[in-house]
Amino acid sequence: MSFALTPEQEQIKESIARICKPFGDDYWLQRDTDGEFPEEFCQAIVDEGFMGIAMPEKYGGSGLGIADAAVMAQAITESGAANAGFAALIIGIFGLNPVVVFGTEEQKQKWLPPIIKREDVACFAVTEPNTGLDTTRLKTRAVWDGKDYVVKGEKIWTSTALRANKMLLIARTKREEETERPIDGLSLFYTDLDRDYVEIRPIDKMGRKCVDSNQMFIDGLRIPKEHLVGEEGKGFRYLLHGLNAERILIAASMVGLGRAALKKAAQYARDRVVFGRPIGMNQSIQHPLAESWAELEAANLMAFQAANMYDEGKECGLQANAAKYLAAEATFKSCTNAVMTHGGMGYAKEFHVERYLRESLIHRLAPISPQLILSYLAENALDLPKSY
């Protein structure tokens, strides 16, 4: 099986590279400095018709597959936009998949076109301060009072909430003790982000300054019945449906970031002359960069194997998780090698590689840790006892 890009995917890659060209490293360095959201970049993607690449044509999207969306994500990060460019618009690429798959026709017609046109901006409110990766134990409550669901609780690491007017929210509609399994009491909503009932506190973080991450304190938010996605109590299952695609898109985007760092490092190694010769003549410089090239290519193959399996309707949980693991580790190493190749100048913002390194950590940690992926692979690929 070949994982070479199709002519159509090559065209996507070239088009995204063209769109990204005016938004080069200096643009993203400035956004990393001033923290201003890259709205003009997002709008450029919208104007060229790529925002809804993996959403149905019926609602204004392109109706393409996850492999095509992965090509797009990779081209964005490889341009120098790094994780910031990817994170600024990921929910518009795939984030509303639960609505696409499980929403009613009326919901899809009402909610999807404004997201694709960026008339609406959504955020994804899942993670909570005291549950972390144990998503089945979420505490935020949505209690039906006979008229609306009334929500009270906290969320954390909610990206783009400062920009958003909508949110995809998972909350508990039944207490754990009222269900056979904790996942049975969780429901999914797509609703207005009403700031009269939602306090948003930005988190000052290591990287990706221009794409906000936030704590959210929800108290008394009323959600009408028609904003429930699918059936009550099945929200966690709806989220699980899209997890493999999320892993694949993250893996592809990470490979793009790793390649951007490697390109900078190789160029510097060719240009930097010490003791009368380019430092790239030294094997101590060459070998780490060559290792990174090989590791990134291997991760990329796994990512696109998983993407093709997903688009063919095959089970791809092992491949998607392995791709995310391999890409995150290879990219972190590539970015580290890029900084080390630059020596002291790797610590200087003007050479950009330190920004790449900081942003590589985001998806090394999230949305699933490398340790939990290894536990999943041990259990499901090697038939070892569950360890968590």
Side-chain angles (χ1 to χ4, degrees):
M1 181 182 293
S2 172
F3 302 118
L5 299 186
T6 66
E8 292 77 15
Q9 289 170 342
E10 289 285 2
Q11 189 174 16
I12 292 171
K13 182 177 180 179
E14 291 169 6
S15 296
I16 295 298
R18 173 180 52 79
I19 296 168
C20 290
K21 192 171 183 180
F23 305 97
D25 276 306
D26 290 337
Y27 171 84
W28 293 104
L29 173 58
Q30 187 60 39
R31 297 291 76 78
D32 189 56
T33 302
D34 61 25
E36 182 180 328
F37 189 87
E39 185 60 43
E40 57 270 76
F41 167 74
C42 294
Q43 195 58 51
I45 296 291
V46 172
D47 291 344
E48 294 283 349
F50 283 101
M51 185 63 88
I53 188 171
M55 294 191 195
E57 291 182 88
K58 183 178 182 179
Y59 310 108
S62 300
L64 300 180
I66 288 302
D68 304 304
V71 170
M72 174 184 172
Q74 189 171 93
I76 288 170
T77 56
E78 194 169 349
S79 74
N83 185 270
F86 174 67
L89 43 73
I90 181 57
I91 199 164
I93 296 175
F94 186 76
L96 289 191
N97 180 255
V99 174
V100 173
V101 178
F102 302 106
T104 65
E105 183 60 30
E106 182 181 359
Q107 288 174 335
K108 287 183 273 192
Q109 289 183 358
K110 183 178 181 180
W111 294 339
L112 297 179
I115 283 289
I116 293 169
K117 297 174 185 176
R118 205 166 170 78
E119 294 168 354
D120 283 340
V121 176
C123 62
F124 197 15
V126 177
T127 307
E128 294 184 2
N130 297 316
T131 55
L133 291 169
D134 192 3
T135 311
T136 64
R137 304 291 179 179
L138 294 175
K139 305 299 182 187
T140 295
R141 292 296 314 280
V143 179
W144 180 253
D145 71 353
K147 181 181 178 182
D148 296 312
Y149 291 96
V150 182
V151 182
K152 183 178 179 63
E154 299 178 25
K155 297 293 180 179
I156 197 168
W157 295 114
T158 305
S159 295
T160 70
L162 289 179
R163 308 285 301 182
N165 65 314
K166 299 284 186 179
M167 66 174 168
L168 191 64
L169 169 73
I170 189 165
R172 185 167 295 285
T173 46
K174 285 188 177 180
R175 297 181 184 276
E176 284 187 44
E177 56 269 23
E178 297 174 340
T179 61
E180 287 188 20
R181 295 181 299 173
I183 65 170
D184 294 334
L186 294 167
S187 299
L188 193 64
F189 303 90
Y190 183 72
T191 195
D192 297 325
L193 204 173
D194 187 341
R195 285 163 170 76
D196 288 340
Y197 303 97
V198 182
E199 180 187 354
I200 302 170
R201 297 181 189 173
I203 299 170
D204 193 13
K205 55 192 189 297
M206 176 189 261
R208 208 185 72 187
K209 185 177 181 180
C210 64
V211 181
D212 52 284
S213 298
N214 306 278
Q215 287 183 283
M216 297 173 64
F217 300 86
I218 308 170
D219 190 1
L221 178 70
R222 304 188 74 86
I223 301 179
K225 184 81 170 182
E226 55 267 29
H227 290 183
L228 174 69
V229 178
E231 297 180 41
E232 186 177 295
K234 294 188 176 180
F236 186 75
R237 292 177 176 84
Y238 299 157
L239 290 185
L240 287 177
H241 182 272
L243 287 186
N244 287 336
E246 179 191 55
R247 307 281 193 264
I248 292 165
L249 293 176
I250 288 172
S253 75
M254 287 294 278
V255 170
L257 173 54
R259 285 174 172 172
L262 189 59
K263 182 179 178 181
K264 292 279 189 191
Q267 185 64 55
Y268 190 83
R270 288 189 294 269
D271 293 344
R272 176 66 167 156
V273 175
V274 179
F275 299 118
R277 53 190 267 158
I279 63 172
M281 288 183 69
N282 301 318
Q283 290 180 348
S284 61
I285 297 293
Q286 290 182 352
H287 288 182
L289 300 183
E291 283 182 4
S292 284
W293 181 88
E295 290 163 359
L296 288 167
E297 292 303 304
N300 193 58
L301 287 172
M302 180 62 80
F304 279 92
Q305 179 188 6
N308 286 323
M309 291 175 69
Y310 184 94
D311 288 338
E312 291 169 3
K314 297 178 180 177
E315 172 54 45
C316 63
L318 292 174
Q319 291 78 10
N321 279 278
K324 193 272 183 185
Y325 174 80
L326 292 171
E329 298 305 302
T331 296
F332 175 70
K333 182 175 175 180
S334 178
C335 293
T336 301
N337 286 339
V339 171
M340 297 303 290
T341 298
H342 282 73
M345 299 315 294
Y347 206 64
K349 288 183 178 291
E350 67 179 288
F351 284 82
H352 305 291
V353 289
E354 62 83 32
R355 172 171 59 88
Y356 295 168
L357 176 59
R358 286 185 286 114
E359 296 199 5
S360 75
L361 280 162
I362 299 169
H363 280 145
R364 191 179 185 219
L365 291 166
I368 182 172
S369 68
Q371 293 79 17
L372 196 54
I373 288 180
L374 292 176
S375 295
Y376 170 85
L377 295 176
E379 179 188 353
N380 292 278
L382 303 177
D383 198 28
L384 296 175
K386 186 174 181 178
S387 62
Y388 57 96

